[in-house]
Amino acid sequence: MDVHGNSQTSAMQARRRAAMAVLARASGKEIAARLGAVALPAYESLREPESGLVMVRGRIGGDGAAFNLGEATVSRAAVRLASGEVGFGYALGRDGEKAKLIALCDALLQSDEHADGAEANVIAPLRERLIARRNARAAEAAATRVDFYTMVRGEG
Amino acid sequence: MYVAIKGGERAIENAHRLLAHERRGDCDVPELSLAQISEQLGLAVDRVMSEGSLYDRELAALAIKQARGDLIEAIFLVRAFRATLPRFGVTEPVDTGQMQVRRRISSTFKDVPGGQILGPTFDYTHRLLDPQLAEGHAPEPPATSEAVVCAMPRVTDILGKDGLIEPSPQASADSAVGDLTREPLSFPADRDLRLQNLARADEGFLLAMGYSTQRGYGRNHPFAGEIRFGEVEVEFLAEEVGFAVPLGEIALTECQMVNQFGGSATEAPCFTRGYGLAFGQSERKAMSMALVDRALRARELGEEVGAPAQDEEFVMSHSDNVQATGFVEHLKLPHYVDFQSELGLLRKLRREFAEAQRKASMREAAE
């Protein structure tokens, strides 16, 4: 593959990863509601939703060698659009339908015809909600930040 | 004589039926929902996830409900459930440096970059029972203020820049990460296995072990360099996808203990460290874990080994509350045959004893 093709691939990968990060944090219901507003192409299930485990790893001291912290439940699914694009869905938890919806979004993002619609109608609004939730949490935390002050004694 | 023991089935069935009834309690009192447990008993859920070694809030809440609030029983249920699911693989190591911090404190630096953020904490409460809560009470909405976007380096990173603290051990290329759910424990155990064991260890056990080091049984002069709690992203390199897939976020508590010096003829003195990491907001657990992690490094750091918390075989073999409760509680199960043989032996010993006594008194009488 030429250099141009490589950078295109990595741009697509970055786009898919960013979308997955948003979708994994949304609820299945939220994703379904957003997808309801999009005209969906025909697709088939490539891997039926299934739940399992991943071993979550941490690092010794936060930045050293890896160790096994404990497991987490995860669900996954894969779909294929009639036009051939294969989408994968992974998310923490046991909501297999959510994994399937994520897979569908992932496939849409790879389709020239559907990518922009999915981005604008599904990913963008979910991202906005996610950012709002995150900002609210950050603002709550910020209010508990300690402001030390020093009593000035004598003449400054 | 061989006596077959049967006839327990009906009693067991009825006992379980009675248990279900007692679990529900007074039917005039509304039933607990899993969402209520997850939202309002969140720290119990965190503990069950940590020690059950399975991150799934809903399952942990279900386990707590089923166990009638007996957290060790709930942890047992979660561990048993875990065994029914296939493992897809291992995640990329989480980066706690990128945590969306909800709480972050340092007891070593007042002006730590990123600031001291108290977050939701019991610290500085007066520990007075609150009658308002008994009556049902809608709390004030949390205060907010503008979040300053700034880096929040780990305190150990700051000390590390000047070489004042030992660096974290890096992986050697040929060493696989140990997994005690796959291979049975053997000793000596490397630090990755020790941390995995401590991460799922009973909080009470770790607390007592950590406390013992503070009281002088393997003293190591700890400072809570940093404690942070918040969300980190989890990523999984899925082969069929071809890149690391974000799976969502999990809440973690991390504790960096900064301890007194190591060093040698060839290495300048520097602070040493102990590390704690736990699912959810589990601060006592993470702190105790860090104390015990440091204590278990005694041999590696050339310290005298003698205290219980420094003995990895002792700590790691007794830290797991599911194993411990299994062995302690199995004493309740029928041991009728074992006991009959002990009883027979005891009777024989008593007969011999009586016989010896009788002979001795006859000798005395004869003399």
Side-chain angles (χ1 to χ4, degrees):
Chain A
M1 200 181 281
D2 62 8
V3 177
H4 181 64
N6 264 332
S7 72
Q8 245 181 2
T9 318
S10 71
M12 172 56 81
Q13 225 175 66
R15 184 180 197 180
R16 290 172 64 197
R17 263 172 55 84
M20 286 170 171
V22 169
L23 293 163
R25 286 173 170 86
S27 72
K29 248 191 208 154
E30 286 175 315
I31 303 171
R34 288 290 161 190
L35 275 171
V38 178
L40 292 177
Y43 66 94
E44 58 174 341
S45 184
L46 209 59
R47 174 193 269 157
E48 285 300 318
E50 60 172 336
S51 292
L53 302 170
V54 284
M55 175 55 90
V56 178
R57 284 191 169 162
R59 289 189 181 281
I60 299 172
D63 59 353
F67 71 95
N68 290 314
L69 174 64
E71 287 165 311
T73 53
V74 66
S75 299
R76 66 180 175 191
V79 303
R80 179 165 47 206
L81 302 187
S83 45
E85 292 83 0
V86 173
F88 297 98
Y90 273 86
L92 291 174
R94 285 163 297 119
D95 187 348
E97 276 312 300
K98 173 178 161 181
K100 190 169 179 176
L101 295 175
I102 294 176
L104 178 56
C105 293
D106 182 47
L108 294 175
L109 285 178
Q110 296 171 65
S111 137
D112 290 338
E113 191 183 338
H114 298 285
D116 291 342
E119 183 70 43
N121 298 309
V122 182
I123 313 296
L126 290 176
R127 182 180 290 121
E128 227 162 86
R129 275 173 91 159
L130 175 70
I131 291 171
R133 273 204 297 260
R134 199 181 271 184
N135 288 345
R137 233 160 31 189
E140 288 166 15
T144 70
R145 183 198 198 99
V146 181
D147 283 320
F148 288 106
Y149 56 89
T150 312
M151 307 288 280
V152 181
R153 283 187 284 186
E155 279 164 36
Chain B
M1 187 176 63
Y2 174 79
V3 183
I5 302 174
K6 283 193 78 103
E9 291 92 340
R10 172 179 296 218
I12 290 170
E13 196 180 302
N14 287 343
H16 290 169
R17 207 163 129 183
L18 181 58
L19 169 70
H21 176 78
E22 292 291 314
R23 175 189 295 125
R24 176 61 183 88
D26 182 346
C27 286
D28 291 336
V29 177
E31 190 182 348
L32 272 178
S33 70
L34 298 192
Q36 283 172 332
I37 294 171
S38 181
E39 291 297 309
Q40 296 174 41
L41 299 176
L43 300 190
V45 169
D46 287 345
R47 180 165 180 187
V48 170
M49 293 197 303
S50 252
E51 294 171 34
S53 203
L54 182 64
Y55 197 100
D56 188 314
R57 294 199 73 80
E58 198 184 41
L59 279 180
L62 173 60
I64 290 169
K65 180 172 179 174
Q66 187 174 333
R68 307 176 64 194
D70 178 339
L71 296 191
I72 292 184
E73 180 71 20
I75 289 157
F76 201 154
L77 291 169
V78 166
R79 292 266 188 100
F81 179 84
R82 170 220 159 253
T84 65
L85 290 177
R87 191 191 282 180
F88 296 161
V90 299
T91 71
E92 301 294 297
V94 293
D95 184 358
T96 52
Q98 296 296 317
M99 180 183 280
Q100 201 206 347
V101 163
R102 284 206 260 169
R103 169 166 167 79
R104 188 274 197 130
I105 54 165
S106 169
S107 71
T108 52
F109 294 110
K110 176 166 70 74
D111 297 313
V112 60
Q116 307 259 3
I117 294 167
L118 300 182
T121 179
F122 293 125
D123 295 354
Y124 315 110
T125 62
H126 293 104
R127 265 74 184 214
L128 297 172
L129 280 175
D130 181 0
Q132 274 191 322
L133 279 176
E135 288 152 14
H137 169 63
E140 280 180 83
T144 56
S145 69
E146 202 180 330
V148 186
V149 180
C150 62
M152 213 168 277
R154 299 183 196 93
V155 163
T156 41
D157 298 346
I158 300 166
L159 283 167
K161 271 194 202 121
D162 300 326
L164 292 172
I165 196 163
E166 58 174 354
S168 298
Q170 299 301 311
S172 55
D174 56 345
S175 65
V177 180
D179 185 353
L180 56 81
T181 67
R182 293 292 164 97
E183 316 109 36
L185 271 182
S186 65
F187 301 103
D190 286 339
R191 194 157 168 213
D192 53 350
L193 273 175
R194 298 201 304 253
L195 285 171
Q196 183 183 12
N197 177 281
L198 298 180
R200 51 200 260 138
D202 183 77
E203 180 174 313
F205 177 82
L206 284 188
L207 177 66
M209 283 289 140
Y211 181 41
S212 73
T213 69
Q214 290 182 286
R215 291 193 62 256
Y217 294 85
R219 199 183 286 282
N220 53 37
H221 305 275
F223 292 94
E226 186 186 300
I227 295 159
R228 58 171 64 192
F229 155 63
E231 275 75 24
V232 297
E233 178 156 73
V234 182
E235 290 187 340
F236 176 66
L237 183 59
E239 266 175 40
E240 75 277 22
V241 187
F243 54 84
V245 177
L247 301 181
E249 58 191 13
I250 62 174
L252 291 178
T253 304
E254 179 185 61
C255 174
Q256 304 273 2
M257 233 21 120
V258 174
N259 304 68
Q260 220 171 48
F261 322 126
S264 64
T266 52
E267 280 175 72
C270 60
F271 284 117
T272 59
R273 50 209 278 183
Y275 187 66
L277 188 65
F279 287 153
Q281 187 173 11
S282 305
E283 200 159 296
R284 188 186 302 115
K285 163 76 179 259
M287 292 182 75
S288 305
M289 177 175 171
L291 286 173
V292 177
D293 172 48
R294 175 59 184 77
L296 290 175
R297 296 181 58 214
R299 192 174 292 111
E300 169 202 341
L301 293 167
E303 295 166 345
E304 200 182 327
V305 177
Q310 295 169 323
D311 182 335
E312 64 178 47
E313 189 161 350
F314 180 81
V315 171
M316 293 176 73
S317 305
H318 300 110
S319 62
D320 190 297
N321 55 23
V322 175
Q323 275 172 17
T325 205
F327 204 53
V328 168
E329 293 201 51
H330 103 283
L331 292 173
K332 294 184 292 194
L333 300 177
H335 283 70
Y336 306 138
V337 176
D338 282 359
F339 190 70
Q340 282 301 325
S341 77
E342 295 260 316
L343 205 55
L345 178 62
L346 181 62
R347 287 201 170 111
K348 180 164 164 272
L349 291 171
R350 287 173 67 90
R351 265 199 311 275
E352 286 167 7
F353 178 77
E355 183 69 11
Q357 291 264 312
R358 194 178 59 81
K359 279 184 182 159
S361 66
M362 273 171 66
R363 258 200 312 276
E364 259 171 48
E367 277 163 13

